[in-house]
């Protein structure tokens, strides 16, 4: 697999542009008070990576404990705290802000031809909220942790545990508002800040995906917020809305929680889908097959995503009529995802394909997300869900979509836009190796869990019957490989900041507006207001553009 | 969607020449900036709708389950205070709307007057709310804090309940009144919190308005605040019948 | 999604105070109406009327005080989206609670 | 740590020799559920294969080396429709099939034998009608529908028997139920699958499916002397329920004979079927549903009776129904201990005969 697209500038003369958003101002304060969406994106990138590795270290502890059937490494309550904090950190402090707050923040204004997001101060505020929430969560973790699981099921979380539920709840509440402000900012920007000529159907699919995501963020997150407020009140004053002893209904909490948390899983996948559209189009040098279908399927996922939340409660005592409705709607929401997968596959058809690292991650995404998504169908099928729910099948399902799907997409995106963000290339060979390692490690870790789940091994178990051990050992071994696969990019990307080759404006010969300006970009993104005069993914336009340049220079 | 900011060349030109001081650098025109902030305010209100949505859901479910308890408990609210407060809040919404109009038509003293009236009406609302709350506190109707079932087990002893001729509730149903009061405090408290934030911002705005900040043609801030204030009004418009009125006759 | 610039929509519509006064009076009237209606025994219609009046009042506030009547389609759509999702939350949750009583399961 | 690898080796060998992809099919429903499961597996495999085939073959055919210049293609409505409609169709088939199984699992047949299960942090307590109770274990006869009526004393738990493919949440404050019919004698895992706090992973046990004869023996050997209904009867007397629910003409409460399963008219005008859940609620929050013609005077027993006690009362009231008894005896007497058959109300509470109410 050789790199073929990259036409790096002549390395002997190439230099990073003197004026860029990184060099504009110096000093810590210039970062902490910045309104520049690109700098905020970098701040986010650093902070979410930090949280990812904390979550990852916790995952390592989970896997170590599960190496043997007994709970010998740690006591059961420690184990419970570890997987709870793993879930909470990974979801609220890593995956929800992962692509939107970093890549989305960095790229949406550039892709639209705007100078910044519509509300730069709100953008900075949302980062501060995120940091405040993160510190609070870490504080809760250090001073005793929380052992409710990431789902905070009542009445367990309200009356039966004495860990830091309130602190963690408040942390998630604040993180929620950070996410709301990000989403709100994106919607306003996409509506109001498009450059002349940038019509809705000329926007990159990445922007469409973020538009859909933002709708979910703005409309879903407040419901989580109120649910958490009620939990905190229940713990502090004992209000009783979720307390069966006082006449409340614990299931009401789950309704409110999943009303957010199901849409949240689409918050966690749609931006990744946006990345995949960009990557696949660029490396097959073709317009995305069925652009409108892909764009609308994002919106469809967002809208339908609001109607299916009770599929997390199939056996929890909701009415069976609800089960029917929610199972049916779950089937409907799965279709747009299938549409996307096939559209990406057909984008390759008659393309001119190269296999750089982002493309490898994208291929990984397609395979793993298909498996993850199809196992979602198992769970949406009410009858089968009875057997599979609350087992490792679910753990495998959501790690396939979240780690195999979104995390792969995130890595694809980080590699893809790394030259734009830093002006330097990552080392290609070793990064391809890392992609391969992650893929192998991932499958070894999580595929056995499907079998474990079908065999009946329950999730959130610190100890398990000995006959499940072999598959668990596979899983732990896989996690080790996976850990290495994730550590590698950190090392070589950091290395490349200093030693990477100079990338030039458009190393991938991609068509997005963000590639038509220098790397790293200016603080204002563009020297002059760009005018969008072509469709998205118009590679012929790019060819003509290059010819023009050659003609005018030569 | 008809909001596409496709700008004509003239508009761009014009924008470049006349950059008002309050135009932020990343906007091309003032219109774009105003539209954007206005739209952002609306989106923020959407999140508020959903936030209160959770409480409304809880209210509807529990009311449906424990109907007699909710009826008896709602008799503890004073419909006159409630109606008065509704009038106060509607008036404040009106003065706020007039304030926006004054700002738009650059009437400085009118704006200051309207904002001040809104401010005062907001305070009156909170004052009345405080009276109501203290009644509840006296009667031990605050859930979680020595909650007392007296008024429901023995309504004859309680003028508020006796006035409706309430029959005593069975003990288990009487206990459910605590849920009503919790929702009452949660909903009106959350609403009051929004009022307090609004009043604080109003104070700041009055201060700025007197310096003439909003009567030079840049009125987005006043308008957006108006949206917020009216939204808080709308929440009350629903809380009032749900909490005070719908069991009045029983 | 039309692509032409809507200059008229960018131009600011200033609602005249007369409208505000009319709406204000209407709101006052509706408030007294709803308070009055609550004292009359109408069975199931009590809550329906109370909420109906509340909806009318809210619509008046949204349309006139909040200028939605004079705003862009986008604003109208935004309001619609909020109300819609609000009803999804309430409607589908309540539907679960009501249908629980329908059968043993 | 050093002895881990030989152990592991043993496991590996053992695991490979009886490698399983799914647990034993030990209940009537299991093969049906597995059929659907494998149907979905098959569809997923086909779908996955198609995706992989498309991606790899295009990658090979249209790699830059072979195909230097991309041909721009806009899309194709026909293809778009194909991959919308085919998956949709397949998903709908799964939905319908799945719903059928779901209803089968949660709709117990009328002649099912009822066992009560109470979950609490962190153990399961099963109560058989004959008064036998067991902790973290469940003995059931094969070839006989068993209905479990579940409740939790504290948090959500979930009663899961993978080999039977059934699972049901035990909820605080509400009965839920599930049924199964074991087909193969054996000992199977019983898990609590809903996360319920510190010892969640230790809330496990065994389900022993046994032949009817063995089951009978087991029942006899583990009887506690009095049946569940008898316990209930004792409670009924000691809580002086019979002060109001009695056969005297001036009784303040309705007669409870035949109440179970009957349609009751409430003071609100609705009718409601008196099932387990209704009776439980009638005891703990009586004013929730007032029977027509009675004053809401019944006191609440919330906080005074444990869930076990409530279950005994429910079971007792259930058996105050002679029709029920008749129907039940036709199918169950041979399995129930002698005493159960005679658990008719005695003494002060001899309701029943001729007091057909409502
Ligand atoms: C990124 C996150 C993410 C995503 C995208 C999804 C996607 C989906 N999820 Fe998942 N889910 C989670 C994260 C996610 N999920 C999490 C975290 C949980 C557990 C929460 C907890 O309890 O802790 C969960 C749990 C969960 C449950 C609850 C299980 C239970 O508790 O009992 C259900 C049930 O319906 C479900 C269903 C689905 C479905 C139908 C999809 C669909 O959207 C998938 C659609 C995709 C496809 C269908 C694949 C593409 C299809 C093809 C390529 C077509 C194949 C070809 C043919 C059919 C011919 N998920
Ligand atoms: C974005 C979401 C996300 C991500 C990325 C991951 C990543 C991983 N997860 Fe997690 N997981 C969840 C979300 C996620 N998870 C959620 C929501 C739950 C449910 C929680 C609940 O039940 O409440 C869960 C639960 C969960 C369980 C089930 C626990 C249980 O039910 O008992 C397991 C078990 O194997 C697991 C494993 C892993 C592994 C091996 C990874 C690997 O992919 C991680 C690989 C990364 C690394 C290994 C880090 C590399 C770094 C280093 C090697 C540095 C190490 C440093 C030190 C040790 C100091 N996760
Ligand atoms: Cu009980 Cu888990
Ligand atoms: Cu879901």
């Amino acid at each position: 697999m050789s790199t073929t697209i990259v036409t790096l500038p002549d390395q002997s003369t190439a230099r990073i542009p003197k004026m860029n958003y990184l060099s504009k101002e110096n000093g810590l304060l210039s970062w902490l008070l910045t309104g520049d969406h690109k700098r905020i994106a970098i701040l986010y990138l650093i902070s979410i990576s930090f949280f990812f590795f904390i979550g990852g270290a916790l995952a390592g502890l989970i896997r170590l404990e599960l190496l043997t059937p007994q709970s010998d490494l740690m006591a059961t309550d420690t184990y419970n705290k570890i997987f709870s904090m793993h879930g909470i950190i990974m979801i609220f402090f890593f995956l929800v802000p992962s692509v939107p707050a970093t890549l989305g923040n960095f790229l949406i204004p550039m892709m639209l031809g705007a100078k910044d997001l519509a509300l730069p101060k709100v953008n900075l505020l949302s980062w501060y909220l995120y940091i405040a929430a993160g510190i609070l969560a870490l504080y809760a973790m250090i001073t005793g942790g929380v052992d409710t699981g990431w789902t905070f099921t009542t009445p367990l979380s309200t009356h039966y545990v004495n860990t830091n539920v309130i602190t963690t709840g408040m942390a998630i509440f604040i993180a929620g508002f950070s996410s709301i402000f990000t989403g709100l900012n994106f919607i306003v920007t996409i509506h109001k800040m498009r450059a002349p000529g940038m019509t809705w159907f000329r926007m990159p699919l990445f922007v469409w995906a973020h538009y859909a995501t933002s709708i979910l963020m703005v409309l879903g997150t407040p419901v989580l917020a109120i649910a958490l407020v009620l939990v905190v009140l229940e713990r502090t004053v004992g209000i009783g809305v979720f307390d069966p002893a006082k006449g409340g209904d614990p299931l009401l909490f789950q309704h409110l929680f999943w009303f957010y948390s199901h849409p949240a899983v689409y918050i966690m996948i749609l931006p990744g889908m946006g990345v995949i559209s960009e990557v696949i189009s660029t490396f097959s040098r073709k317009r995305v097959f069925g652009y409108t279908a892909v764009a609308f399927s994002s919106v469809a996922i967002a809208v339908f995503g609001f109607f299916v939340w009770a599929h997390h409660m199939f056996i929890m005592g909701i009415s069976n009529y609800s089960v029917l409705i929610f199972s049916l709607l779950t089937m409907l929401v799965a279709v747009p995802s299938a549409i996307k997968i096939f559209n990406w596959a057909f984008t390759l058809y008659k393309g001119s394909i190269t296999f750089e690292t982002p493309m490898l991650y994208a291929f990984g995404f397609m395979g793993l997300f298909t498996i993850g998504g199809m196992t979602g169908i198992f769970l949406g099928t009410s009858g089968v869900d009875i057997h599979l729910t609350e087992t490792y099948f679910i753990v495998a399902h959501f790690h396939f979509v979240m780690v195999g799907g979104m995390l792969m997409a995130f890595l694809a995106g980080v590699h893809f836009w790394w030259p734009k963000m830093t002006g330097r290339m990552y080392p290609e060979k070793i990064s391809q190796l890392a992609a391969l390692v992650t893929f192998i490690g991932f499958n070894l870790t999580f595929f056995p869990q499907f079998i474990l789940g079908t065999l009946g091994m329950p999730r959130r178990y610190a100890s398990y019957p000995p006959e499940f051990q072999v598959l668990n050992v596979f899983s732990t071994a896989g996690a080790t490989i996976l850990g290495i696969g994730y550590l590698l990019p950190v090392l070589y990307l950091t290395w490349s900041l200093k030693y990477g080759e100079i990338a030039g404006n458009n190393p991938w010969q991609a068509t997005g507006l963000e590639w038509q300006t220098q790397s790293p970009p200016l603080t204002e993104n563009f020297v002059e207001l760009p005018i969008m005069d072509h469709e998205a993914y118009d590679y012929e336009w790019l060819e003509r553009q290059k010819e023009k340049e050659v003609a005018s220079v030569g | 969607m008809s909001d596409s900011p496709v700008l004509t060349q003239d508009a761009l030109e014009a924008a470049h020449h006349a950059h008002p001081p309050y135009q932020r650098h990343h906007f091309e025109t003032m219109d774009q900036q105003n539209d954007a902030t206005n739209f952002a305010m609306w989106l923020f209100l959407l999140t508020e709708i959903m936030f209160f949505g959770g409480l409304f859901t809880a209210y509807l479910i529990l009311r449906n389950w424990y109907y007699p308890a909710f009826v008896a408990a709602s008799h503890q609210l004073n419909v006159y205070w409630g109606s008065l407060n509704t009038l106060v809040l509607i008036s404040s919404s009106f003065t706020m709307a007039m304030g926006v109009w004054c700002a738009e038509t650059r009437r400085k003293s009118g704006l200051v007057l309207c904002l001040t009236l809104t401010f005062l009406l907001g305070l009156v609302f909170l004052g009345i709310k405080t009276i109501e709350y203290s009644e509840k506190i006296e009667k031990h109707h605050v859930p979680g804090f020595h909650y007392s079932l007296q008024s429901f087990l023995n309504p004859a002893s309680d003028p508020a309940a006796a006035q409706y001729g309430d029959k005593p509730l069975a003990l288990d149903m009487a206990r459910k009144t605590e849920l009503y009061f919790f929702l009452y405090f949660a909903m009106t408290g959350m609403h009051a919190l929004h009022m307090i934030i609004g009043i604080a911002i109003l104070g700041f705005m009055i201060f700025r308005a007197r310096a003439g900040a909003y009567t030079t043609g840049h009125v987005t801030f006043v308008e957006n605040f108006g949206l917020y204030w009216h939204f808080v009004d709308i929440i009350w418009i629903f809380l009032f019948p749900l909490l005070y009125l719908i069991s009045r006759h029983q | 999604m039309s692509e032409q610039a809507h200059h008229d929509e960018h131009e600011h519509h200033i609602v005249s105070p007369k409208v505000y006064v009319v709406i204000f009076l209407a709101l006052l009237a509706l408030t007294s109406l709803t308070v009055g209606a609550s004292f009359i025994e109408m069975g199931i219609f009590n809550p329906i009327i109370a909420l109906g009046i509340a909806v009318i009042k809210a619509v008046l506030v949204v349309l006139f005080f909040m200028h939605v009547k004079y705003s862009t389609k986008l604003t109208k759509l935004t309001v619609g989206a909020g109300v819609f999702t609000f009803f999804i939350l309430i409607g589908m949750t309540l539907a679960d609670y009501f249908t629980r009583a329908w059968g043993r399961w | 740590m050093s002895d881990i690898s030989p152990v592991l080796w043993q496991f590996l060998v053992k695991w490979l020799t009886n490698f399983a992809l799914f647990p034993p099919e030990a209940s009537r429903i299991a093969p049906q559920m597995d059929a659907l499961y494998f149907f979905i597996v098959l569809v997923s495999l086909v779908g996955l294969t198609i995706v992989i085939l498309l991606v790899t073959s295009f990658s090979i055919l249209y790699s830059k080396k072979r195909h230097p210049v991309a041909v721009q293609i806009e899309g194709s409505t026909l293809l778009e429709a194909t991959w919308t409609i085919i998956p949709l169709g397949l998903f709908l088939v799964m939905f319908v099939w799945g719903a059928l199984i779901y209803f089968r699992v949660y709709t117990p047949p009328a002649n099912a034998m009822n066992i009560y299960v109470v979950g609490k942090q962190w153990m399961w307590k099963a109560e058989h009608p004959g008064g036998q109770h067991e902790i973290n274990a469940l003995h059931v006869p094969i070839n006989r529908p068993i209905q479990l009526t579940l409740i939790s004393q504290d948090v959500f738990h979930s009663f899961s028997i993978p080999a039977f493919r059934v699972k049901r949440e035990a909820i605080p404050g509400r009965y839920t139920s599930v049924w199964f019919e074991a087909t193969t004698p054996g000992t199977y895992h019983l898990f609590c699958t809903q996360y319920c706090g510190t010892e969640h992973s230790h809330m496990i046990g065994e389900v022993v499916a046994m032949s009817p004869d063995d089951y009978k023996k087991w029942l006899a050997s583990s009887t506690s002397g009095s049946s569940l209904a008898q316990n209930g009867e004792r409670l009924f007397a000691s809580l002086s329920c019979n002060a109001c629910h009695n056969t005297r003409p001036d009784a303040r409460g309705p007669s409870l004979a035949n109440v179970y399963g009957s349609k009751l008219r409430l003071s609100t005008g609705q009718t409601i079927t008196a099932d387990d859940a209704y009776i439980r609620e009638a005891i703990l929050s009586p004013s929730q549903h007032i029977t027509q013609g009675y004053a809401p005077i019944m006191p609440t027993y919330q906080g005074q009776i444990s869930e076990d006690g409530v279950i005994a009362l429910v079971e007792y009231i259930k058996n105050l129904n002679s029709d029920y008894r008749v129907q039940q005896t036709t199918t169950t007497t041979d399995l129930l201990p002698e005493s159960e058959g005679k658990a008719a109300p005695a003494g002060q509470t001899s309701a029943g005969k001729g007091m057909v109410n409502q």
Side-chain angles (χ1 to χ4, degrees), chain A residues 203-468:
Chain A
M203 292 193 317
L205 290 166
F206 182 85
V207 180
W208 272 100
H210 276 79
Y211 184 66
T213 310
S214 308
I215 294 174
L216 294 170
M217 286 173 162
V218 167
L219 287 170
T221 321
V223 182
L224 174 73
I226 188 71
L228 289 171
V229 168
L230 290 175
V231 164
V232 169
L233 284 174
E234 183 95 48
R235 275 187 83 87
T236 46
V237 267
I239 47 152
V241 198
F242 300 144
D243 181 3
K246 286 195 174 159
D249 184 19
L251 266 191
L252 177 60
F253 170 79
Q254 302 218 4
H255 272 296
L256 297 181
F257 180 85
W258 291 114
F259 183 87
Y260 164 74
S261 291
H262 181 79
V265 310
Y266 295 119
I267 295 177
M268 293 183 254
I269 197 73
L270 280 167
M273 292 172 155
V275 172
I276 300 301
S277 295
E278 300 299 313
V279 169
I280 293 206
S281 162
T282 301
F283 294 103
S284 49
R285 320 228 39 78
K286 252 188 83 213
R287 183 173 160 82
V288 173
F289 190 88
Y291 170 95
T292 31
V294 178
F296 277 133
S297 64
S298 291
V299 180
I301 289 177
V303 173
F304 281 107
F306 276 116
F307 295 85
V308 303
W309 75 85
H311 67 206
H312 296 269
M313 305 154 69
F314 276 165
I315 69 159
M316 303 245 201
I318 57 170
S319 100
N320 280 18
Y321 302 96
S322 292
V323 170
L324 269 187
I325 305 284
F326 280 101
S327 175
L328 177 62
L329 290 167
T330 302
M331 297 304 169
L332 297 186
V333 77
V335 174
S337 303
I339 296 178
K340 279 177 190 276
I341 294 275
F342 287 112
N343 274 302
W344 290 324
F346 268 79
T347 304
L348 301 173
Y349 177 64
K350 296 214 170 156
S352 174
I353 305 169
T354 55
F355 302 93
E356 280 81 359
T357 312
M359 191 64 157
L360 297 187
Y361 277 116
F363 283 161
F365 174 97
M366 285 177 69
L368 300 179
F369 178 73
T370 303
I371 299 178
M374 283 309 298
T375 51
I377 302 291
F378 283 70
L379 302 171
T381 308
S382 49
V384 177
D385 186 57
I386 296 173
H387 178 51
L388 298 176
T389 186
E390 296 160 359
T391 67
Y392 261 80
F393 195 92
I394 302 224
V395 176
H397 156 67
F398 65 70
H399 282 95
F400 261 77
V401 276
M402 297 202 296
V403 185
M406 185 62 159
L407 194 50
M408 290 269 177
F410 176 66
L411 287 171
V414 168
H415 283 89
F416 185 59
W417 282 290
W418 192 254
K420 183 50 67 183
M421 290 194 275
T422 64
R424 291 182 186 268
M425 296 302 293
Y426 57 83
E428 186 68 43
K429 278 276 162 333
I430 182 162
S431 65
Q432 287 181 335
L433 179 73
L436 199 67
V437 171
T438 3
F439 185 78
I440 295 170
F442 178 85
N443 279 299
L444 190 56
T445 313
F446 293 110
F447 202 84
Q449 296 186 354
F450 282 126
I451 305 173
L452 277 173
T454 313
L455 287 171
M457 175 167 163
R459 63 189 285 203
R460 298 171 168 176
Y461 261 31
S463 60
Y464 53 87
E467 76 249 35
F468 297 139

Side-chain angles (χ1 to χ4, degrees), chain A residues 74-86:
Chain A
M74 51 185 112
T76 46
D77 57 339
T78 318
Y79 179 81
N80 295 343
K81 286 177 187 168
I82 295 216
F83 77 70
S84 302
M85 294 310 297
H86 166 69

